[in-house]
Amino acid sequence: MNANKDIRNILFLARRYGAHHNHTLGTVSLRAAGQGQYLQRLEEGHIGLTFRRGEKLMKWFSENWPSDLQWPADIPRPRKNKDAA
């Protein structure tokens, strides 16, 4: 895990998702992380990113990504869990 790259990827996805839905970073943060200031604090370097939290956020974005918005080609997309259900 490269924490800096993971943070950049998550923030990039958050901003693309937010722009697509006309949401602020705080709204995206509340939906994806359950905390309205989480992504802003992450971006400002006030907090770090654990492996587990990074995976959880990437999974959230993957599962909630708009079908009419292409996933960025340079960001690996988590696979869907075949065992879910």
Side-chain angles (χ1 to χ4, degrees):
M1 177 172 108
N2 180 335
N4 289 332
K5 185 176 181 179
D6 292 340
I7 290 170
R8 282 192 309 270
N9 287 346
I10 287 167
L11 292 171
F12 183 82
L13 292 173
R15 295 210 179 274
R16 288 279 308 268
Y17 178 91
H20 187 77
H21 288 294
N22 199 27
H23 293 324
T24 65
L25 185 60
T27 298
V28 175
S29 183
L30 186 60
R31 291 181 179 189
Q35 300 172 20
Q37 294 299 311
Y38 182 82
L39 293 174
Q40 184 71 37
R41 293 179 69 220
L42 186 65
E43 183 174 56
E44 293 170 353
H46 296 298
I47 58 174
L49 182 69
T50 65
F51 180 78
R52 183 175 175 166
R53 176 70 88 155
E55 280 191 333
K56 185 177 178 182
L57 286 168
M58 289 299 292
K59 183 178 177 185
W60 187 91
F61 281 112
S62 183
E63 290 175 354
N64 292 279
W65 198 253
S67 60
D68 62 337
L69 181 62
Q70 185 174 357
W71 184 271
D74 59 337
I75 298 178
R77 190 169 186 171
R79 291 183 178 200
K80 292 190 179 198
N81 186 355
K82 295 178 184 177
D83 299 328

